[in-house]
Amino acid sequence: MPSIRSALALPLAAVTVVLAIPPASAAETASASASETASASASETASASASETASASASETASASVEEARLDRAAPQEILRRSGFDSLAPEFADALAGAGCFAAAERTVGRYGAALWRRAVDRAQGRGDAGGDLSRDDDRPLYWARLALTRELRAWHPGFTVTDESRARLIDRLERSSRGQDSIRYPAGKGVKRILLTGFDPFTLDRDTRISNPSGATALALDGTWLRTSDGTLARVETAVFPVRWQDFADGTVERTLRPHLPEVDLFTTVSQGRPGRFDIERTNGAWRGGFPDNENLSRTETVPVADPAAQPQWTSTTLPYAAITKAPTGRFPVYDNTPVTELPAGADTPVVRPGGPTPGSVARAGGGGNYLSNEIAYRATLLRDRLGLTRLPGGHVHTPVLEFGPGNTDPATGTVTDAEFVRNRLDIIAQVRAILAVAAGSH
């Protein structure tokens, strides 16, 4: 696959034109030149050893996060190699090595993060070289390449001082830009509906590093695309992907991403992988974290931490048109209106499952979508909707089927990273989410 620095020609009329990394600004070029002039011998040494520096920094696993440490396993390396995304980390390390000041490094990080997102979207939507034989619908190259870049950034040691706070700022910028969180743009004018969809990274990777998340694959496949809704209106879809990490959610990444856009959209849906063989429209979301370990192997068991906790409700509800969605022929998987929750009834301390939803005064222990981050993103998004006074805005959570490998490819130790059934299942899930969006956006 071409270098992430190379330009791509994308003659697609209905989709925003996407380009590779823009050239460095004049300020960056001047900064780099000044650095070289000030110390010619140091510059020559850095230039001569840029590739060695990239390799060495990647090997400094002592500073790597738990997620990043999984990169060296066989499946992630194969996924990166078979998609052409294995070249990105060395390129990024070289670019960082050439940054003569923090501002230049910050611009480099922003360019590479945005270009990584665009490249993943382009690959998923059939633009440019696939870079290898891994199917284009695969979300995993984006996930593992992002981790390769954050690992380089974490291990980077420039010739100027970078505080822990400054490095965290750079990592945050790389995370946001490579997830599409800061590139959500809708066309101006009337007569077009606007849809916002979010997906997730793969998770439970210590169980199987081959895992893909169909919600993340859907986000890549649909970002910047158009669809015709069930009422005949044209709709634009914009997407973003979120990490499977408790702390990021506590830090407000969902609200920071969604708040600017909810007032301008006609429908939003958070999407995640749910139960085998079925879609679920989750009716109710609960304000409880159940403690299942995240991708950093950290656990949180507590009330969902939000701003203004004194006014925090125990439950929020979907405003998606679940009746219309469940009745429509959207694809091969059945779609359910999922209503059960787990609660502590008012005055009680023993959890009870309520098939029809929560009872008055109860305390949440699990929403319809459980008590992990899929429930939490649904809770946060719908709470934000309500706090913004957008109570009539259709929005909620869709759980996709579990993405399964084909028969005989279920052992992580001996199985392959992909197979025909795996790809078919993912493509069918993506297509059905798109059909669900068309029904939902055309039913209000």
Side-chain angles (χ1 to χ4, degrees), residues 31-271:
S31 175
S33 296
S35 176
E36 290 169 5
T37 301
S39 181
S41 61
S43 176
E44 290 170 7
T45 302
S47 175
S49 62
S51 296
E52 294 175 15
T53 301
S55 176
S57 63
S59 68
E60 294 178 25
T61 55
S63 62
S65 70
V66 171
E67 279 188 285
E68 292 159 1
R70 298 186 184 104
L71 270 164
D72 295 322
R73 300 181 188 179
Q77 290 300 309
E78 181 178 351
I79 289 164
L80 289 171
R81 185 176 63 255
R82 293 176 62 180
S83 60
F85 279 54
D86 56 341
S87 65
L88 306 190
E91 287 182 17
F92 181 58
D94 284 351
L96 279 177
C101 62
F102 182 81
E106 193 168 29
R107 289 189 290 270
T108 297
V109 166
R111 289 200 312 275
Y112 270 82
L116 175 57
W117 173 254
R118 290 195 300 267
R119 176 163 164 175
V121 169
D122 289 344
R123 188 178 193 278
Q125 296 181 16
R127 294 188 289 272
D129 186 353
D133 65 348
L134 203 64
S135 62
R136 284 183 175 269
D137 52 283
D138 206 314
D139 60 304
R140 297 172 297 175
L142 171 63
Y143 175 71
W144 293 111
R146 182 191 303 114
L147 289 175
L149 267 58
T150 59
R151 186 166 71 171
E152 292 291 354
L153 185 53
R154 213 178 296 277
W156 170 58
H157 298 295
F160 51 89
T161 301
V162 177
T163 65
D164 290 345
E165 182 181 0
S166 295
R167 194 182 300 270
R169 175 175 155 190
L170 293 175
I171 291 172
D172 179 69
R173 181 160 186 183
L174 180 58
E175 285 274 350
R176 284 179 54 75
S177 59
S178 65
R179 294 179 178 281
Q181 293 176 3
D182 60 0
S183 59
I184 297 168
R185 304 285 187 275
Y186 290 100
K190 298 180 179 180
V192 174
K193 291 186 176 180
R194 297 163 179 83
I195 299 172
L196 179 58
L197 176 145
T198 69
F200 271 108
D201 289 346
F203 62 107
T204 64
L205 293 157
D206 285 332
R207 177 172 63 84
D208 187 347
T209 49
R210 304 175 303 157
I211 282 174
S212 162
N213 194 322
S215 69
T218 299
L220 293 176
L222 298 187
D223 186 54
T225 64
W226 297 81
L227 60 81
R228 186 71 64 178
T229 71
S230 59
D231 68 357
T233 307
L234 194 62
R236 170 66 170 256
V237 183
E238 291 287 324
T239 73
V241 173
F242 285 91
V244 182
R245 297 190 296 253
W246 293 111
Q247 189 58 49
D248 291 68
F249 277 52
D251 290 341
T253 186
V254 174
E255 292 81 359
R256 180 172 60 167
T257 301
L258 301 187
R259 184 178 287 110
H261 304 292
L262 289 193
E264 66 177 339
V265 303
D266 298 284
L267 179 141
F268 71 90
T269 181
T270 54
V271 183

